[in-house]
């Protein structure tokens, strides 16, 4: 019996489907479709919350059938895990760019500017608004080392600044948590019709650098 002509047991994918804001042909590279799914999911999670967004909602937003999603993702948990990995992948180069600076304060300035650019994007915003709490414990464990690397990198920038005299003596742990708290809260109030991401990053860092004292 010739099995080569047996139908694919997976649900057929429509011709000319819309993935996110993109009109993609059926033979578009799977990676482009996977990223379109993740971006659409991140937008829905950011707008409605992870728990209040279903795979049916995601399929409708992409104008595809729900079974079509399973070509590229396994579950909501898998989608969020992939989104957070995408965000982590953007943060890595921001740390590397910052670490190339000559002193600690400038390292921190570069990192904050790049980090704000990430947080105003779909994946970075989802990293903050959804976080890891909806994930299965096994998925959270996968992300834990990346979170630790980011936290340690910022503490090291602050510590270097203290050592080279560009940052006044302080507790790097407390200062790092304070900085991340201010940056992450931005995801709840920032609107693109106001300051540009560059201006926002500059102003946040200016407050962090100089404080509020007029002296």
């Amino acid at each position: 019996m010739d099995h080569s002509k047996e139908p694919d047991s997976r649900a057929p994918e429509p011709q000319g489907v819309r993935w996110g804001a993109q009109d993609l042909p059926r033979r578009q590279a799977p990676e482009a479709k996977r990223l379109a799914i993740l971006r659409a999911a991140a937008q829905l999670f950011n707008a409605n919350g992870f728990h209040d967004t279903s795979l049916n909602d995601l399929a409708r937003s992409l104008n595809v059938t729900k079974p079509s999603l399973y070509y590229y993702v396994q579950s909501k948990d898998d989608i969020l895990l992939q989104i957070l990995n995408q965000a982590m992948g953007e943060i890595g180069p921001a740390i590397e760019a910052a670490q190339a600076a000559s002193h600690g304060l400038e390292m921190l300035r570069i990192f904050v500017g790049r980090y704000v650019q990430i947080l105003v994007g779909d994946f970075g915003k989802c990293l903050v608004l959804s976080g890891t709490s909806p994930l299965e414990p096994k998925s959270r464990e996968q992300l834990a080392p990346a979170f630790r690397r980011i936290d340690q990198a910022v503490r090291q920038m602050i510590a270097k600044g203290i050592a080279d005299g560009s940052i006044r003596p302080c507790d790097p742990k407390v200062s790092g948590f304070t900085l991340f708290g201010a940056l992450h809260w931005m995801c709840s109030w920032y609107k693109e019709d106001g300051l540009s991401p560059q201006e926002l990053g500059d102003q946040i860092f200016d407050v962090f650098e100089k404080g509020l004292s007029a002296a």
Side-chain angles (χ1 to χ4, degrees):
M1 182 177 181
D2 184 3
H3 293 279
S4 63
K5 296 184 179 180
E6 288 184 357
D8 192 329
S9 60
R10 298 176 297 179
E13 193 177 328
Q15 293 275 357
V17 297
R18 184 170 73 87
W19 293 86
Q22 306 175 63
D23 291 313
L24 300 176
R26 188 179 186 280
R27 296 185 181 277
Q28 182 73 25
E31 179 64 8
K33 291 184 178 180
R34 185 186 71 86
L35 288 175
I37 291 171
L38 298 185
R39 192 167 299 282
Q43 291 168 355
L44 288 172
F45 294 162
N46 293 340
N48 306 322
F50 176 83
H51 294 295
D52 289 332
T53 300
S54 68
L55 288 180
N56 284 327
D57 295 330
L58 177 58
R60 278 194 296 271
S61 76
L62 291 164
N63 193 31
V64 299
T65 63
K66 182 178 173 181
S68 295
L69 298 177
Y70 292 112
Y71 278 79
Y72 310 100
V73 296
Q74 299 174 10
S75 62
K76 273 179 64 179
D77 182 87
D78 178 46
I79 291 171
L80 182 56
L81 179 61
Q82 290 193 48
I83 288 171
L84 300 190
N85 274 320
Q86 285 292 135
M88 292 298 186
E90 295 174 2
I91 295 170
I95 292 173
E96 292 172 8
Q99 289 173 335
S102 59
H103 59 80
L105 186 65
E106 185 60 20
M107 287 181 178
L108 210 57
R109 184 191 306 278
I110 293 169
F111 176 76
V112 168
R114 295 282 294 267
Y115 196 62
V116 166
Q117 295 281 345
I118 293 166
L119 293 186
V120 300
D122 296 322
F123 298 141
K125 190 173 183 180
C126 192
L127 175 68
V128 173
L129 296 184
S130 292
T132 62
S133 59
L135 291 172
E136 298 292 333
K138 194 172 183 179
S139 297
R140 289 200 297 270
E141 289 172 9
Q142 290 183 43
L143 290 167
F147 278 103
R148 284 195 293 270
R149 284 195 296 272
I150 296 166
D151 179 53
Q152 288 300 317
V154 169
R155 292 191 202 185
Q156 289 167 6
M157 292 176 202
I158 296 170
K160 179 172 175 56
I162 295 169
D164 64 32
S166 61
I167 295 176
R168 68 172 178 81
C170 61
D171 184 329
K173 178 180 179 180
V174 173
S175 298
F177 282 152
T178 301
L179 178 60
F180 278 122
L183 292 170
H184 290 176
W185 179 243
M186 177 200 80
C187 293
S188 298
W189 58 261
Y190 174 69
K191 303 294 182 187
E192 293 184 7
D193 56 358
L195 297 171
S196 71
Q198 180 64 52
E199 293 169 329
L200 180 62
D202 289 344
Q203 290 204 26
I204 290 175
F205 187 79
D206 186 64
V207 171
F208 189 79
E209 177 185 10
K210 299 175 182 176
L212 298 176
S213 173

